[in-house]
Amino acid sequence: MPPDRLNRNDAGGRRLSRQALSTPAQDLKTSLRKVSAGSHGGDPILVDVVFVHGLGGNDVSTWQPDESESPECWLNWLAEDIPSIAVWSLKYPAGATKWTAEGEGMALPDRAANLIPTMLYYGIGSRKTIFVCHSLGGLVVKQILRHSTEMAQPEWQKIAESTLGVAFLATPHSGSSLASILKAVRLSRATKTSLALTAHCPHLKELGDWYRQNVKRLEIETAAYAESRRVRYRFRLATVVNATSANPGVEGCILTSIDADHIDICKPASRETDTYRGVETFIRRQLTRLCDDEISLNEAAKPAPESTLDTQGPQTLDPQERQTLLPAELVQQIREIQAMGDMKLLDPFEVKELKMGILNRHYGVGDE
């Protein structure tokens, strides 16, 4: 049974067993697994999407529904639905107790410093990056971003500089009551990893303050989702991460509650679930941001149009016909806009206006 699988109970909750909080021997290593290389439709890969699991999880079972027998999960669906992304799943030792992990684990700053070279080795930072994090994984990512900006390691800066957005799934930004239970119950013998989640931990407060004060400067967009159902731990039902702790407190980020418990929130069973729709929309929004930024840079670098410009030429062509005249990156932008229209995220008028805006900017045609 995978480490984060749970047992049902008669009370209708979910039971967090000792096995659910364990880290098997095969998980006591760090790796970054490519779920999909993307670009199956011939489009260039623009963004790396990195999934980061939480306490007692791993790179596979954390994201798979408990009842699923398929090796694929929603990470594969995202790669299929958005060809311009490459999807990765990070794995690191995250055992909750000393009975189930070798040694005492790593403290949060040490774990972040341990993971940055692994991500750089696999090329993370060479393209734009989006992180999707469950529980502890969100704290790890915030610490990674902090290290990559503050440590005297120029190579590490690529991680923060490349990051477009972070989506938090039930991340305890101010700690978890469950971690407090693990600390209080001597039999659990909590590791340094699980102690990092302790409610009201001063380090978590400082890390949260740093993130709130720097995401705007780093131009990182934030999304946050909270569990709304309880799980059973030992003899009680409890919310592992309450809404207050799940809220990163970032300006412009509205916490969204999901009809799931702490474990199921990261295991959508279909594309029609709130988690999948929310994360997919978030990723597409970052792609739109990236395209907008590239258009702005191209616009700034473009020479002034000649006075003899034939305004009847470029404007009279149909957008689909003019794609053959465009650079590959602009073709990709038009495809992304059309995809958002197909998903009903934009109405037909907005799709047309955005496409024409790209073409007019490319050809130097202004609104006169």
Side-chain angles (χ1 to χ4, degrees):
M1 182 181 293
D4 57 355
R5 297 297 170 87
L6 305 178
N7 299 321
R8 294 285 179 181
N9 63 80
D10 295 337
R14 303 294 297 277
R15 184 182 301 278
L16 281 174
S17 65
R18 177 173 295 180
Q19 187 175 14
L21 296 172
S22 65
T23 301
Q26 64 266 29
D27 288 334
L28 293 172
K29 64 178 182 179
T30 298
S31 65
L32 187 62
R33 178 174 61 90
K34 181 177 283 189
V35 177
S36 172
S39 194
H40 56 267
D43 298 324
I45 299 175
L46 301 178
V47 172
D48 290 310
V49 180
V50 181
F51 282 74
V52 185
H53 67 79
L55 196 65
N58 62 37
D59 61 319
V60 178
S61 64
T62 291
W63 315 109
Q64 288 181 319
D66 289 352
E67 298 79 10
S68 175
E69 297 180 358
S70 170
E72 294 192 350
C73 62
W74 64 299
L75 280 64
N76 303 88
W77 306 339
L78 285 169
E80 293 171 2
D81 294 345
I82 313 177
S84 54
I85 65 173
V87 180
W88 303 78
S89 188
L90 184 65
K91 179 169 74 172
Y92 61 97
T97 71
K98 296 178 187 178
W99 299 119
T100 56
E102 292 183 359
E104 297 188 1
M106 288 189 186
L108 195 57
D110 296 332
R111 177 56 66 195
N114 168 261
L115 291 173
I116 290 175
T118 298
M119 291 192 295
L120 291 173
Y121 177 83
Y122 286 96
I124 303 302
S126 60
R127 290 187 288 256
K128 291 298 184 180
T129 307
I130 298 170
F131 290 100
V132 181
C133 324
H134 177 235
S135 192
L136 169 69
L139 303 179
V140 171
V141 166
K142 290 199 297 185
Q143 189 69 62
I144 285 173
L145 292 172
R146 185 174 188 177
H147 275 351
S148 65
T149 59
E150 294 185 350
M151 294 294 187
Q153 297 288 337
E155 188 76 5
W156 288 18
Q157 295 177 10
K158 293 180 181 179
I159 301 295
E161 292 173 352
S162 71
T163 301
L164 285 171
V166 183
F168 296 107
L169 302 176
T171 291
H173 297 281
S174 57
S176 167
S177 59
L178 178 58
S180 298
I181 293 172
L182 286 171
K183 183 178 180 181
V185 180
R186 292 181 60 187
L187 181 61
S188 297
R189 299 184 65 194
T191 62
K192 291 179 181 178
T193 305
S194 57
L195 288 174
L197 299 175
T198 304
H200 311 300
C201 171
H203 177 72
L204 292 188
K205 181 183 183 302
E206 182 190 19
L207 182 61
D209 290 342
W210 177 89
Y211 186 79
R212 284 188 291 274
Q213 293 167 9
N214 286 273
V215 284
K216 186 174 183 179
R217 174 181 64 84
L218 295 171
E219 298 183 338
I220 296 173
E221 185 173 338
T222 303
Y225 301 88
E227 64 205 64
S228 62
R229 295 185 177 182
R230 298 181 296 172
V231 297
R232 179 174 291 277
Y233 178 68
R234 298 189 182 278
F235 305 108
R236 57 177 290 188
L237 286 169
T239 299
V240 179
V241 178
N242 61 39
T244 300
S245 186
N247 190 342
V250 173
E251 182 181 357
C253 174
I254 299 175
L255 181 69
T256 302
S257 293
I258 301 293
D259 190 23
D261 63 31
H262 188 73
I263 306 301
D264 283 342
I265 194 172
C266 59
K267 300 175 181 288
S270 76
R271 288 175 168 88
E272 300 305 314
T273 56
D274 292 337
T275 298
Y276 185 83
R277 286 193 296 250
V279 172
E280 184 195 19
T281 301
F282 180 74
I283 292 172
R284 290 189 182 277
R285 188 160 65 246
Q286 305 319 305
L287 286 168
T288 301
R289 281 182 57 205
L290 178 60
C291 292
D292 290 344
D293 290 343
E294 290 181 351
I295 290 174
S296 298
L297 290 173
N298 290 336
E299 184 74 12
K302 183 184 62 181
E306 298 180 4
S307 59
T308 57
L309 175 66
D310 182 5
T311 58
Q312 297 301 316
Q315 282 185 313
T316 56
L317 292 178
D318 182 87
Q320 298 297 328
E321 296 174 348
R322 292 175 59 183
Q323 285 189 26
T324 58
L325 305 176
L326 295 173
E329 63 270 21
L330 296 189
V331 174
Q332 176 61 26
Q333 292 172 22
I334 291 177
R335 288 176 175 171
E336 290 292 342
I337 289 171
Q338 185 59 55
M340 294 181 72
D342 295 341
M343 293 181 62
K344 311 300 183 186
L345 298 176
L346 297 172
D347 62 42
F349 177 80
E350 291 175 321
V351 171
K352 180 179 178 180
E353 288 295 303
L354 288 171
K355 285 182 178 179
M356 290 305 301
I358 290 174
L359 296 175
N360 288 340
R361 282 189 290 269
H362 175 65
Y363 287 102
V365 178
D367 296 327
E368 304 204 11

